[in-house]
Structure formats: structure tokens, C-alpha cells
Amino acid sequence: MFDEKKLVSKILGRNKNITDVFFAACGGSLNDLFPVHYFIESESKKLHSMCKPARELVLIDSPRWNDKSITFVLSHSGNTPEAIEAAKIAKNNGSFVIAITNDKNSKLNDSSLYDDLIVYNWGKSVSHKDVPMGIEFRIVNEFLHQTEDDYTKYEDMLSGLNQIDSIIENAKNIQKDSAAKFAQKYRKQPFLYILGSGASTSQAYGFAICSLMEMQWMDCAYINSAEFFHGPFEVLQDDKVFVQCINAGKTRVLDERSRDFIEKYHGQLEVIDANKFGMDKIKDSVVDYFNPFVFYEMGVLYRDELSEKRGHQTDFRQYMGKVDYSYESDIK
Amino acid sequence: MFDEKKLVSKILGRNKNITDVFFAACGGSLNDLFPVHYFIESESKKLHSMCKPARELVLIDSPRWNDKSITFVLSHSGNTPEAIEAAKIAKNNGSFVIAITNDKNSKLNDSSLYDDLIVYNWGKSVSHKDVPMGIEFRIVNEFLHQTEDDYTKYEDMLSGLNQIDSIIENAKNIQKDSAAKFAQKYRKQPFLYILGSGASTSQAYGFAICSLMEMQWMDCAYINSAEFFHGPFEVLQDDKVFVQCINAGKTRVLDERSRDFIEKYHGQLEVIDANKFGMDKIKDSVVDYFNPFVFYEMGVLYRDELSEKRGHQTDFRQYMGKVDYSYESDIK
């Protein structure tokens, strides 16, 4: 069983003066890292954090990526070349590398690539505490608790992590009929906009690029709700379709504002509102960080309903894993 | 005349121990800030940087946003409520606020909102050194030069800033015919993808949300080239249209990889390649940071050509500045 206390002791045992955290992954895995990066930016007084597509992070190779840093490398398959490359560079730079994968027999399980390896299970019966986003939050929450005296949200985070599974079950039950109706109505829609903000900006992004583009071959775009009024809203007319994710917590005002405008000007609007799912069980102080768990699952729900109505299986690919799109590593 | 040396002295005169830089703006102005944020992440050993939509930054209100920070607030009109709000919070937090606007009579010109105000001119005859992106690069380049002993790119950056105007003139001349043909061919295209990476990720984004969505009411999505292979590429078939921005410098490999794949699998592809415009006049050490200048102007060029062929004037709006979309500030 993974133990975040032991891991944090191991990190601090090697270097007590950690200043930076780097998050390296691609696509769906990058979405799982972003909320924890957002958490650090929002809560830590000491840590700097960078979260980028793995290969971009490697090409930048920030001067801060050194032995005073921790690097999270996440690859579900454990074989993503960009993630392997990022782990290699992180190790070369002296960073403490935490590699996270679903497959213990993958390329990422090479002891030269990490300081700690976490292999997680995946499936409907696995708690959200024990999948990558939950694991990362547990590690960083523990780290802040042990290293920053005035960090006060430790217990609230732990309590939230114990609530999130039941909230997600709620969310699926409550939203299922809407998702099915949406899928029926928009199964032939040529193009959709997905809106979200704050910690779940990455889940609006993942809804678009993973659930719809990758798994349904549907064209769509993701927009940060905060940016909607600064350009994107000019496309709004009554033939346009928007999925609006509405967070619980501080950034809710951003999502409500774009929702209200789209309604007023007759956009076709699907609202997914985290506040309807029992998020009040989570403390206000930390509720922001639990929105991404919910919206990841909402992307899955809508994708699955669309799959049914469109006759397009979610695991059907034309390119991924089927054709060659390898690249020559920049790392010699 | 704006003098970055004086400004940096003023900042350091107030606090020698600057640790953080915050970038606050919306839409097109946010695009102008991102490359400088990227520059700090890539080059600084001491500074941490955060770049977010202004209101999101305000809602997060990071514990690092304090008297050891500098905040850039950019609003072209000087009246964007989210930018004003960010300046207010930054000042409350004790940050050194640099407010940048095109209009000296705007709301942003209120001495309670900034420590330094920069009013820039705008128009075809103004050098790119003297518009927001250039001004910000000059300030941060000067800051790193004065505060980080091993920062070696000072002269290369200054030299690049002296080259960029002529490179952009080149780029416009070289790309004009392609842009006109593109506009003729795709004037009725329902939907486009814009791809870019690295420092000009924000210019791919701006190409989509400002040039096309706002100014042409065209539906489109922006994708980081590094992310293309991790979901988005599954939509690729011969009816899809992609505009691929190709950087000069380190991140070029990311753009070339998606370009090659789109070509191979018969996507309709418009390539804009910074290497064709004389970017070799700029030192390799800093060329990455000059891509955004070029791609901003390419967005403008394609927008203007589309405007001609679509009969849609670039300053025609249905909502912006025409209907009420104000919000009640969260700041009391």
C-alpha cells in the first residue's frame, strides 16, 4: 500500500530544501497533474511549480530543474516516450523523480528513471484516492504539512479525499439522464465548445481532447470561462453548442458568468454544475481542488453516452497505437 | 521615452529580494504576457512566475503574491474590469505593479493602482520593441541582467529586439500570397485547428480566440503541437483544416512532428514557418522568444485576408463593447 508519509520522509531525507516541483506528462495524464500544480500555486508559500507537456518541459530544461526539485512523471501505459525522456532528464538534473504508472512491466519501471515508483490500479472499484490525481494530492498535501508551518488545510484535504468517491457516484447518477439526452440530441453535431475554469481548466481541456477528440473523433474546442468574454464569445449564436462545467468554490463566479451570458444570447447550453452533486460535504477551504475529480468523470459519462448514440466505440483509434508516429529523442 | 534601466532600479530600490513575477491580463493582452512568463520559466534561476487570466489570478490570490513580487497588468484599453481588479489586489498585496496601457486617460491610470505606468503607442509605424511584448521583454531582460550573475543572454536579447521589426516585415511579404489563397479557399470553412508550441503557444491561442473567433466569428480550436499526438490527432482526416505555426529554435521539433503527421495522413494543412522569415539573424540562444512576435503578426495577416474574402470587417462585434456583460467585482 502506497504511503505518502514514507515518501515525503524519503524526499526530505535526501534534500530538506526543496524549492520546485515539476509536472511532466502528456494528454490525459497531463490533465491529471495540472490540478495538483494549481494547488501548489494556490497554497504553497515556498514551492514553485511548473506543469507542461513532457517534451516541452524537456526542451525548456529550466535552470530551476535541479537537486532542489521534485518531479512527477505520469504515464498510464508507462511507455509514453516523452514521459520516459522527461524522467531521464529529471534524473540527470538531480531532481527527485516520482514515476507513476498503471503498468509495473512498462519501460518506466527502470530504476535509473526514478527515485520512487508508484504503480496504481485502475478500474471502477478503485477509490479516487488511489488513482494518480488522488495520489499526487496526498503527496503534496503531506509535503506542505511537513514543511510549511502555516499550512492549515491538511485535515480538510484528507477529509475531502474521503468524501470524493461518494460525491462522484452522486454526480454520475444525477447527471446520467442529461448526458443521455445530450448525446441523443447532439450525436451529429459537427463541433462543440467545452468551458471550465480554475483547477478544472484541465478537465475541460481533457473533456475536449481525450473524451471527444480522441475517443469520439468529434471536433471541439476548450475555453477557460475567464477568457470567454475576451474574444471567444463573439462566435455565440443560437446554432452553437456549449458544455459549461461549473465549479464549486472560488472560481464558480467565472463559470456562472459565461453560463448566464450563453443562456441570455440563446446558445445551446449543457450545464454540469458541481454544486448539485453534494460538494458541500467538502470544506470550503479546499473544495476548489475537488472539482477536477468530478469533471474528469463527467467527461467520461458524456463520452460513454455519445459512444452509445453514435455507434463509435470509445477504444476505437485510427492512429494511436496503430501507426508509427515515433520521433528521434533529443536526448543522447 | 520609456527606460527599463530606471524602472528596474526603482523596483530594486524598493525591494532587493524579488522572488516572484505575476502576469495579469485577459484575451489578447494575456497572449502578450505569456511569452515573457515563458522566458522567465526558461531562463531565470531565481524568479518564479505565474501567468493567468486576470480574474482567475485574483480569485487564487497566491500566498506568494506579496511585497517580494512584481506584477505586470496589461490592458490595451486600460478599462478592462478584470485587469483593474488585478492591479488593485496586487497593490493590496504589496506587489510592485507595472501597469501597461495604450490609453493614458483610461481607468488604469489611477495612481492608487500602480507603482509604474507605461503608456505605449499602437500602430503600423511603432517598433515591436515599444509595444507591450517588447516592453516586457526589455524589463525582464534588464532585471535578470542586474540580478542574476550567470544570466548570459542580455546582449543577445537586445540584439534580437533590434532585428525583429525587419523580420516581421519579411514575414508579412513572404506569407501574404499564401494567406490570400488560404482565405479564398477556406472562407466558408466551418471550423479550423491552429497548432503551435513553446513560447508561441499563446499566439496559436490568440490566432484562434482573437483573430478568428472574435474578429471573424469563425469557430476554431488551438492545440499545443506537443499535445497533438496525445488525443487530438484522432480527428485528423482529409476534410480537416490545420494551420501549423512552426517555431524557430528548440521547440521547432514539436511543430515539425505534427506538421509531418498531418501531411502524411492527408489533413488540409497551412504551414507558417518562422525559419523562412530570416530568424537566423537572431542568436540561437534567444531565438525561441522571438517566435511570438512573428506569429502574432501572422494571425493578423490571415485575419485581414479572411476579412477581405468573407466580407466581415475585423472591427465588427456583436457583443464586445455593445451589450452589458459586466460583473459585480469580488473585491470590496
Side-chain angles (χ1 to χ4, degrees):
Chain A
M1 204 61 187
F2 163 70
D3 181 342
E4 61 268 35
K5 286 185 198 294
K6 276 190 191 156
L7 176 53
V8 170
S9 296
K10 188 172 164 185
I11 297 167
L12 294 172
R14 217 187 62 180
N15 193 332
K16 284 210 183 320
N17 300 308
I18 297 293
T19 57
D20 285 70
V21 183
F22 291 84
F23 293 97
C26 308
S29 293
L30 188 60
N31 306 341
D32 276 353
L33 296 177
F34 176 84
V36 189
H37 160 70
Y38 182 95
F39 172 64
I40 293 174
E41 289 195 311
S42 304
E43 299 295 345
S44 174
K45 282 198 174 166
K46 294 186 180 167
L47 294 176
H48 297 161
S49 169
M50 259 176 90
C51 178
K52 297 262 186 198
R55 201 172 176 208
E56 205 172 87
L57 204 62
V58 162
L59 294 167
I60 292 174
D61 199 6
S62 162
R64 306 186 60 108
W65 206 0
N66 57 34
D67 62 356
K68 291 191 287 185
S69 71
I70 302 167
T71 304
F72 287 88
V73 176
L74 172 61
S75 168
H76 185 73
S77 71
N79 294 320
T80 313
E82 293 94 325
I84 306 282
E85 191 175 48
K88 210 175 280 182
I89 294 294
K91 284 292 289 178
N92 283 348
N93 287 343
S95 186
F96 188 102
V97 178
I98 302 168
I100 308 176
T101 179
N102 177 234
D103 184 357
K104 70 174 180 196
N105 298 315
S106 63
K107 290 182 188 162
L108 196 55
N109 191 0
D110 167 343
S111 61
S112 75
L113 294 174
Y114 58 77
D115 295 278
D116 206 85
L117 177 75
I118 300 168
V119 180
Y120 60 90
N121 293 315
W122 188 250
K124 285 191 178 168
S125 63
V126 181
S127 167
H128 285 81
K129 278 190 299 190
D130 297 319
V131 296
M133 209 193 311
I135 291 169
E136 295 147 25
F137 269 119
R138 284 161 58 194
I139 297 168
V140 175
N141 185 48
E142 184 65 37
F143 190 90
L144 295 184
H145 178 57
Q146 290 196 26
T147 58
E148 303 197 14
D149 288 343
D150 42 8
Y151 177 64
T152 59
K153 300 188 176 178
Y154 183 64
E155 295 294 342
D156 293 352
M157 282 298 291
L158 292 180
S159 154
L161 285 161
N162 284 326
Q163 295 294 337
I164 193 64
D165 286 341
S166 73
I167 293 170
I168 285 169
E169 278 316 298
N170 253 353
K172 287 182 188 168
N173 291 332
I174 290 170
Q175 205 65 26
K176 190 171 169 40
D177 284 353
S178 293
K181 278 182 200 157
F182 179 89
Q184 181 65 50
K185 186 166 181 184
Y186 294 113
R187 69 196 185 281
K188 296 183 180 175
Q189 184 67 18
F191 176 64
L192 303 165
Y193 286 104
I194 317 289
L195 288 155
S197 76
S200 38
T201 301
S202 49
Q203 279 55 46
Y205 171 69
F207 201 135
I209 72 149
C210 299
S211 294
L212 300 184
M213 296 179 79
E214 178 180 333
M215 299 191 186
Q216 287 297 300
W217 306 2
M218 288 178 81
D219 290 307
C220 56
Y222 54 97
I223 299 287
N224 185 318
S225 309
E227 285 283 277
F228 183 64
F229 295 92
H230 302 283
F233 73 158
E234 289 291 339
V235 301
L236 168 60
Q237 287 180 344
D238 63 5
D239 59 334
K240 300 298 166 67
V241 178
F242 299 85
V243 176
Q244 174 74 61
C245 304
I246 304 192
N247 285 334
K250 283 188 285 199
T251 53
R252 182 174 181 82
V253 290
L254 301 170
D255 303 320
E256 287 180 333
R257 189 179 174 212
S258 45
R259 174 198 65 191
D260 292 348
F261 193 89
I262 293 166
E263 263 175 9
K264 185 169 177 183
Y265 291 98
H266 315 297
Q268 296 176 54
L269 178 63
E270 180 75 1
V271 172
I272 311 177
D273 184 345
N275 266 7
K276 292 193 178 160
F277 306 145
M279 290 285 270
D280 54 343
K281 285 183 199 157
I282 294 177
K283 294 275 169 61
D284 286 349
S285 64
V286 297
V287 72
D288 299 88
Y289 312 119
F290 291 90
N291 292 301
F293 290 96
V294 172
F295 287 112
Y296 166 72
E297 290 290 351
M298 292 298 99
V300 170
L301 174 68
Y302 277 72
R303 172 200 85 189
D304 287 347
E305 294 294 334
L306 282 162
S307 168
E308 290 291 328
K309 298 294 191 297
R310 301 176 79 240
H312 183 114
Q313 277 187 273
T314 58
D315 61 355
F316 199 83
R317 302 284 181 278
Q318 44 183 335
Y319 308 116
M320 193 178 282
K322 290 197 170 171
V323 305
D324 179 32
Y325 49 96
S326 57
Y327 67 97
E328 201 179 333
S329 170
D330 309 297
I331 313 311
K332 305 303 167 199
Chain B
M1 202 62 185
F2 162 70
D3 181 341
E4 61 267 35
K5 285 185 199 294
K6 275 190 194 159
L7 176 53
V8 170
S9 297
K10 188 171 164 186
I11 296 167
L12 295 171
R14 217 187 61 177
N15 192 334
K16 282 207 186 325
N17 300 309
I18 297 292
T19 58
D20 285 71
V21 183
F22 291 84
F23 292 97
C26 309
S29 292
L30 188 61
N31 306 340
D32 277 353
L33 296 177
F34 176 84
V36 189
H37 160 69
Y38 182 95
F39 172 65
I40 292 174
E41 290 196 311
S42 303
E43 299 294 346
S44 174
K45 282 198 175 167
K46 293 186 181 168
L47 293 177
H48 178 249
S49 168
M50 259 176 89
C51 179
K52 298 262 185 194
R55 200 172 176 209
E56 205 172 89
L57 205 62
V58 162
L59 293 168
I60 291 174
D61 199 6
S62 163
R64 305 185 62 106
W65 207 0
N66 55 36
D67 62 357
K68 292 191 286 184
S69 71
I70 302 167
T71 304
F72 286 89
V73 176
L74 172 60
S75 168
H76 186 74
S77 71
N79 294 319
T80 314
E82 292 94 326
I84 306 281
E85 191 176 48
K88 209 175 281 182
I89 293 294
K91 284 292 288 177
N92 283 349
N93 287 344
S95 187
F96 188 102
V97 177
I98 302 168
I100 308 177
T101 179
N102 177 236
D103 184 357
K104 70 172 179 197
N105 298 314
S106 62
K107 289 182 188 162
L108 196 56
N109 190 359
D110 167 343
S111 61
S112 74
L113 294 174
Y114 58 78
D115 295 278
D116 206 83
L117 177 75
I118 300 167
V119 179
Y120 61 90
N121 292 316
W122 189 249
K124 286 190 178 169
S125 63
V126 181
S127 167
H128 285 81
K129 277 191 299 190
D130 298 317
V131 296
M133 212 193 311
I135 290 170
E136 295 147 26
F137 269 118
R138 283 161 60 195
I139 296 169
V140 175
N141 186 47
E142 184 64 36
F143 190 89
L144 295 184
H145 179 57
Q146 290 197 26
T147 57
E148 303 197 14
D149 287 343
D150 42 8
Y151 176 64
T152 60
K153 302 189 176 179
Y154 182 65
E155 295 296 341
D156 292 353
M157 283 296 294
L158 292 180
S159 155
L161 285 161
N162 284 325
Q163 296 294 337
I164 193 63
D165 286 340
S166 73
I167 293 171
I168 285 169
E169 278 316 299
N170 254 351
K172 285 183 191 169
N173 291 332
I174 291 170
Q175 206 65 28
K176 189 170 169 41
D177 283 353
S178 292
K181 279 182 200 157
F182 179 90
Q184 182 65 49
K185 186 165 181 185
Y186 294 114
R187 68 196 185 283
K188 295 183 180 176
Q189 183 68 17
F191 175 65
L192 304 164
Y193 286 103
I194 317 290
L195 287 156
S197 76
S200 39
T201 301
S202 50
Q203 279 55 45
Y205 171 69
F207 201 135
I209 73 150
C210 298
S211 293
L212 301 185
M213 296 179 79
E214 178 180 334
M215 299 190 186
Q216 287 298 300
W217 307 2
M218 288 178 80
D219 289 307
C220 57
Y222 55 98
I223 299 287
N224 185 318
S225 308
E227 284 283 277
F228 183 64
F229 296 92
H230 302 283
F233 74 158
E234 290 290 340
V235 301
L236 168 58
Q237 287 181 343
D238 65 4
D239 58 334
K240 300 298 165 67
V241 179
F242 299 86
V243 177
Q244 176 73 63
C245 304
I246 304 194
N247 285 335
K250 283 189 285 198
T251 52
R252 181 174 182 81
V253 290
L254 300 171
D255 304 321
E256 287 181 333
R257 189 179 175 212
S258 46
R259 175 199 64 192
D260 292 348
F261 192 89
I262 294 166
E263 264 175 8
K264 184 168 178 186
Y265 292 97
H266 315 296
Q268 297 176 53
L269 178 62
E270 179 75 1
V271 172
I272 312 177
D273 185 345
N275 267 6
K276 293 193 176 159
F277 306 145
M279 290 286 270
D280 53 342
K281 286 183 200 157
I282 294 178
K283 295 275 171 58
D284 286 348
S285 64
V286 296
V287 72
D288 299 272
Y289 312 119
F290 291 91
N291 293 301
F293 289 96
V294 172
F295 287 112
Y296 166 73
E297 290 290 351
M298 292 297 99
V300 171
L301 175 68
Y302 277 71
R303 171 200 83 189
D304 287 348
E305 293 294 334
L306 282 162
S307 168
E308 290 292 328
K309 296 296 190 298
R310 302 177 79 240
H312 183 115
Q313 277 188 273
T314 58
D315 61 355
F316 198 84
R317 301 283 181 279
Q318 43 183 337
Y319 308 117
M320 194 178 279
K322 290 198 169 168
V323 305
D324 179 33
Y325 49 95
S326 57
Y327 66 97
E328 201 179 333
S329 169
D330 309 298
I331 314 310
K332 306 303 167 197

